Amino acid sequence: MIDEPFFPTTDILKSRDQAQHAFHERAARVAVETFGRQVFVRAVVEVSNFCRENCSYCGMRRDNRGLARHRARLDQLAELLVHHRPASVTDVNLQAGEDPVVVREVVLPLIKILRHETPVGLSVCLGTLNRSLYGALKSAGASTYIIKFEVADPELYAQMEAPGTFEERVEHIRLLAATGWNVSSGFIAGLPGETEDALLANFSLARKLPLAGCSVSPFIPGEATPYANAPTADIDLTLNCMAALRLMRPRWVIPAVSALNLARPGSGYRRGLRTGANLVTINLTPPGLREDYVLYRRDRFIMTEERILAAIEAEGLKASKQSLADYYRQKNALTTSAPRSRLERVAV
Ligand code: SAM
């Protein structure tokens, strides 16, 4: 008999205490069975806080006129990433507000430099761009595109003024996957106005998309945004969503996002690693830009290499020596050469 693929219920997403503990343990066990005790270590470098979008939840929204806007310098980033990146980092993610100028002037030349001078895997998180920029980024040497669908309920998506339209965002996720990118998407849990059905819709959409990974970020009220006074997402709800993603798609790469520590200072991040997350992020944004890269508030919780390595060690995990890009390359080679099992065909 073949087990039905996991899909969460509202009850399981609301679970607490013993039931929640057992649920997280089950998800963590699946992650260990699939990936061993290894977690990928990726550095994130934020390269611009200019943004042409106006997401109501985000502190970098276009209408936030009080925010000083900056773009990072190519030479400074190249020096940092070629010569001074922490030893545990195997992949680098270049992230920005939606700013095609920084893509052309900084990100593209930086990717070319990193491709020639380092072995790091390259991810980008640069918003909804056009086919030609996606193509240029890929030819330069990036292989993973992080593009969250943010929220799967089209009405809530429009209300939140999330990038472009919901249909367009989903179309771009599919386009990126169809053109050879490893696509990682994700959603924000606990947005103001989120209903139980809207939360479940995130899982229905995620399982239909051609993804290599998926994240859950807790909603954190952003400074100088229309939702500045809304409540922070419930950490337990966020962690339950992470565990549910792991059980729904055992092979996805699922990050423990640093905002878990804002949702529950002190323990949020470590608890994230106990739900089956297998990717951690070290923030390497140069000071200067970092202060004004305000997704939520200025008092950000910065994940340094020291904090990350301490957290993974405390959870009995290990930093992977293999890069995420390499892992995807191997996995893609296997899936294109081997016939898929019936279970996998059902799960797509
Ligand atoms: N501009 C790019 C895009 O649209 O994909 C990428 C960068 S965007 C600034 C990074 C992510 O931050 C968004 O995809 C969103 O999920 C997250 N984010 C922004 N504000 C947030 C908030 N208040 N709470 C939780 N996540 C937030």
Side-chain angles (χ1 to χ4, degrees), residues 146-204:
I146 302 167
I147 178 165
K148 305 189 199 182
F149 59 77
E150 313 292 7
V151 45
D153 178 308
E155 265 179 43
L156 197 52
Y157 190 96
Q159 185 191 321
M160 290 291 144
E161 301 179 70
T165 63
F166 172 71
E167 290 71 21
E168 181 189 51
R169 192 77 165 176
V170 170
E171 200 182 298
H172 279 247
I173 291 171
R174 293 190 184 282
L175 166 71
L176 286 158
T179 50
W181 288 91
N182 302 304
V183 179
S184 181
S185 195
F187 62 90
I188 304 176
L191 278 169
E194 178 188 82
T195 59
E196 289 176 356
D197 285 350
L199 182 63
L200 285 177
N202 293 320
F203 293 90
S204 308

Side-chain angles (χ1 to χ4, degrees), residues 51 57-60 95-98 125-128 146-148 150 163 169 188 217-222 293 295-296:
C51 191
Y57 42 81
C58 182
M60 297 195 312
Q95 192 184 108
E98 204 169 287
C125 178
L126 302 166
T128 319
I146 302 167
I147 178 165
K148 305 189 199 182
E150 313 292 7
R169 192 77 165 176
I188 304 176
S217 298
F219 166 73
I220 310 286
Y293 197 90
L295 296 181
Y296 329 111

